[in-house]
Amino acid sequence: MSDHASRLLTAASSKFGLVLLVALCLLILTPGQGSLPTTDRDEARFAQASKQMLETGNYVDIRFQKVPRYKKPIGIYWLQTAAVRLSNAPFNRIGPYRLPSLLGALLAVVCTALLGARLFDRRTGLLAGLLLAGCLLLNVEARLAKTDAMLLLCIVIMQSGLARLYLARRETANHWSGWIMFWLACGLGILIKGPIPPVIAAATILPLLVSDRSLNLLRVLRPLPGMLLLAGIVLPWFIAIQSASHGAFIQQALFKDFLPKLLSGQESHGAPPGYYLLLFPVLFWPGSLLTIAGLPRLRPLLREERVRFLLAWIIPAWIIFELVPTKLPHYVLPFFPAIALLTACALQQSRPEPGREGLLKKLPRWLGSGLWLLATVILGIGLPVLAARFGRFQALDLLPFAGLLLMLVASWQYRHNRARASRLVPTFFLVALLTFPPAFAGILPQLEFAWPSRHVAEVLSEQPPGQLIAVGYSEPSLPFLVGTATVMTNPNRAARLLHQEQYRYLLVEAREQRKHAAAIKDLLSGMQHLDRFSGFNYSKGKKITLDLYAKP
């Protein structure tokens, strides 16, 4: 890599580094926020529940249509409704609902850079920020109206406060900023996603206490005032929702969502231990290759407190998540800031002396590099091919392929100059910049077959007002885009509802039509056929054909 990148990193490490980092984050995270259609299923469920709060004015109870939605606390819904109110946008436009995720991702990157500057130096913080901002998983979560990007921000702030306290645990001064940061962010994180922040905090603190053989860290954490602060944040809404739901919230959130995930794989999301480790080269792509190559350089620093803190952040909680039967890729996002910081630190260390390694030591690195290369080829070649085969191909759709070529050149340069590995970080970020914005803003939105609900909403927007009944198609994006009153049901109930004047339109999936041929035939008697759409329901992994009918 040329000396220009080195000079750029040196200049960016100055006081203007954060300004540059924010600009680069906006450049990579913003495209696609409004153009990417509403995705199924989690995003659509969150957005629809927030939309109903806006429609009803009830900002305490959480519902998806008429069904209580008590799986997650209120925090993300309040943030989404505030974003929609401030933007003054129509309630069924997904872009404003994603603003909290964008803000959470952006600020998480900035806070990671600040933590890196405190633990190491500004250059390390900037490198870590670039690695985090350019990773695949964060770019996905920043564009989805869900909890995880905002949860990441709470985790980074919480762990930043804990890091301050850990490094100052032997001092007698009252480090009020550290313990307030820790408990405040922990409380806000609980309002976003329940017990996850306390679990990660406890899994970080316990190993540090054991390694220190001292309770100094607990002393500077100030548990009593901290717990009072946390209770002041969490309890008011908790009491309100328990009253509004007649005690159903704690029963459903704890006994029907959280605890079942600890006992068995829920909703077909079970996987064996090692799942996250195997998936890491893809989730942290493209920076995962630098992590795999750079971590051996950390060996001389393992006894340093700052490195020990980051390892305590990652390893114990990661093991817990691997042992929990229910697994989803985004569950490990809270560890990525610490991984980015360790990677940035490792890349700036001198290369260890080459020695003989056995097959068992080489195999994990080879496997990780192979998965990284597979992800690189799929994104670099697969995205342009997808656009050419199923979308409206344009020249900008070739940018991921250009990123693939740049990645191959950078990897070749690294192979021949491993002493200056940190200079590869801007190149890897540029590859991400060539890949993610074209994918989320251009290629994916153009794949008409992947967005059945959007197609139905577009057709109905040109028809007279009326409510929709769907038979055989029940994705949550449908009521979000078409209307909360949309009914997703079976043929018998659909026949009864069609007698009511407000229900004017009927959507029938072809499999359901064949399965209940006689009932559907009676249902369609006298109905006018408006449209037929063949697409792909990625939530179920099935091709679908939808027929839309209207009363004459």
Side-chain angles (χ1 to χ4, degrees):
M1 192 174 178
S2 69
D3 290 337
H4 295 291
S6 180
R7 288 195 293 269
L8 176 63
L9 282 173
T10 302
S13 301
S14 68
K15 59 184 178 181
F16 301 108
L18 281 182
V19 177
L20 175 63
L21 185 61
V22 169
L24 291 174
C25 284
L26 291 174
L27 198 60
I28 196 172
L29 298 177
T30 302
Q33 289 288 334
S35 57
L36 183 70
T38 311
T39 61
D40 289 306
R41 296 177 172 141
D42 280 353
E43 179 185 46
R45 287 168 176 161
F46 278 108
Q48 174 60 27
S50 298
K51 178 181 144 187
Q52 288 181 220
M53 288 184 178
L54 292 164
E55 292 172 340
T56 63
N58 185 344
Y59 296 96
V60 174
D61 202 7
I62 308 169
R63 292 184 175 269
F64 179 86
Q65 294 189 298
K66 296 181 179 180
V67 180
R69 180 170 168 79
Y70 295 151
K71 292 187 175 183
K72 297 294 182 289
I74 196 67
I76 196 64
Y77 303 103
W78 281 346
L79 292 172
Q80 289 179 0
T81 54
V84 176
R85 286 292 187 193
L86 291 173
S87 65
N88 200 28
F91 291 170
N92 65 344
R93 185 174 296 172
I94 191 62
Y97 294 88
R98 291 171 173 163
L99 288 177
S101 294
L102 173 62
L103 184 63
L106 172 64
L107 293 180
V109 171
V110 172
C111 290
T112 299
L114 292 173
L115 178 58
R118 174 173 286 271
L119 292 177
F120 303 102
D121 52 54
R122 287 179 177 177
R123 180 187 175 94
T124 303
L126 177 63
L127 290 173
L130 289 175
L131 287 168
L132 181 61
C135 81
L136 172 62
L137 184 56
L138 184 67
N139 274 266
V140 172
E141 293 301 331
R143 293 172 170 89
L144 296 179
K146 294 165 59 235
T147 57
D148 297 282
M150 190 55 68
L151 172 69
L152 178 66
L153 173 61
C154 295
I155 296 293
V156 176
I157 296 175
M158 179 184 76
Q159 298 292 76
S160 296
L162 184 60
R164 289 189 180 193
L165 297 173
Y166 180 65
L167 296 178
R169 64 194 182 282
R170 296 185 181 93
E171 300 175 7
T172 57
N174 180 13
H175 295 275
W176 60 270
S177 60
W179 69 264
I180 287 180
M181 282 175 60
F182 176 83
W183 292 104
L184 179 64
C186 186
L188 294 176
I190 291 173
L191 282 182
I192 295 292
K193 205 166 183 176
I196 300 301
V199 168
I200 293 176
T204 306
I205 293 169
L206 288 176
L208 295 176
L209 293 175
V210 172
S211 66
D212 278 357
R213 298 180 182 179
S214 168
L215 298 179
N216 283 333
L217 180 57
L218 281 183
R219 175 182 58 81
V220 294
L221 264 174
R222 307 201 59 189
L224 182 57
M227 292 295 291
L228 291 175
L229 175 60
L230 187 146
I233 296 170
V234 174
L235 283 182
W237 175 78
F238 181 79
I239 293 172
I241 188 61
Q242 280 294 94
S243 175
S245 65
H246 304 289
F249 176 82
I250 188 65
Q251 180 183 1
Q252 292 195 23
L254 185 61
F255 296 105
K256 293 187 178 180
D257 182 56
F258 182 69
L259 290 179
K261 288 179 179 179
L262 301 180
L263 301 176
S264 63
Q266 294 295 298
E267 300 175 356
S268 304
H269 296 313
Y275 170 82
Y276 293 125
L277 196 61
L278 190 65
L279 210 55
F280 172 76
V282 178
L283 299 178
F284 200 64
W285 185 93
S288 51
L289 182 66
L290 298 178
T291 304
I292 294 168
L295 285 185
R297 302 183 182 206
L298 279 178
R299 288 173 187 167
L301 303 178
L302 290 180
R303 293 187 177 183
E304 291 195 11
E305 290 182 339
R306 51 190 181 169
V307 173
R308 191 160 66 239
F309 173 82
L310 294 174
L311 292 175
W313 180 347
I314 300 168
I315 296 175
W318 188 293
I319 293 173
I320 293 172
F321 281 36
E322 290 279 18
L323 294 176
V324 171
T326 301
K327 293 181 175 67
L328 284 170
H330 59 263
Y331 284 1
V332 291
L333 183 60
F335 309 121
F336 281 14
I339 293 173
L341 288 166
L342 284 176
T343 303
C345 177
L347 294 176
Q348 298 178 88
Q349 306 304 312
S350 59
R351 183 186 174 192
E353 291 295 327
R356 297 187 63 181
E357 290 184 326
L359 180 62
L360 290 178
K361 288 186 177 181
K362 291 182 179 179
L363 188 60
R365 190 163 67 248
W366 287 350
L367 178 60
S369 300
L371 291 171
W372 176 90
L373 181 61
L374 179 63
T376 303
V377 172
I378 289 175
L379 291 170
I381 297 177
L383 286 172
V385 169
L386 201 63
R389 176 67 178 84
F390 299 104
R392 298 185 295 274
F393 184 79
Q394 50 190 354
L396 291 177
D397 296 338
L398 285 172
L399 287 177
F401 182 71
L404 169 63
L405 297 179
L406 179 61
M407 181 70 78
L408 294 177
V409 172
S411 301
W412 180 84
Q413 286 187 333
Y414 169 73
R415 183 177 179 84
H416 290 80
N417 190 7
R418 298 187 180 186
R420 300 184 176 183
S422 63
R423 296 185 180 186
L424 282 174
V425 174
T427 304
F428 276 45
F429 182 84
L430 179 58
V431 171
L433 190 60
L434 292 173
T435 303
F436 299 137
F440 291 113
I443 296 174
L444 295 179
Q446 293 176 15
L447 304 179
E448 297 292 340
F449 72 93
W451 314 112
S453 297
R454 181 180 70 173
H455 180 83
V456 173
E458 289 173 350
V459 174
L460 291 179
S461 67
E462 300 173 356
Q463 302 296 323
Q467 294 175 11
L468 173 71
I469 302 172
V471 177
Y473 180 73
S474 57
E475 295 304 324
S477 57
L478 189 64
F480 175 77
L481 293 171
V482 176
T484 301
T486 299
V487 177
M488 297 176 287
T489 186
N490 55 58
N492 293 330
R493 186 176 176 221
R496 295 194 299 270
L497 291 174
L498 278 174
H499 291 296
Q500 301 179 25
E501 184 178 353
Q502 69 267 30
Y503 294 104
R504 177 175 175 81
Y505 301 100
L506 177 67
L507 183 69
V508 183
E509 206 279 318
R511 286 188 183 85
E512 197 74 12
Q513 194 162 344
R514 292 191 296 269
K515 184 178 178 182
H516 303 281
I520 296 293
K521 184 177 180 180
D522 294 337
L523 196 61
L524 300 179
S525 177
M527 299 284 283
Q528 175 187 356
H529 188 269
L530 292 180
D531 185 75
R532 166 167 282 200
F533 175 77
S534 295
F536 184 75
N537 186 342
Y538 52 83
S539 296
K540 293 184 176 180
K542 295 179 180 179
K543 294 181 179 179
I544 59 171
T545 299
L546 300 175
D547 287 286
L548 183 62
Y549 300 87
K551 290 180 180 178

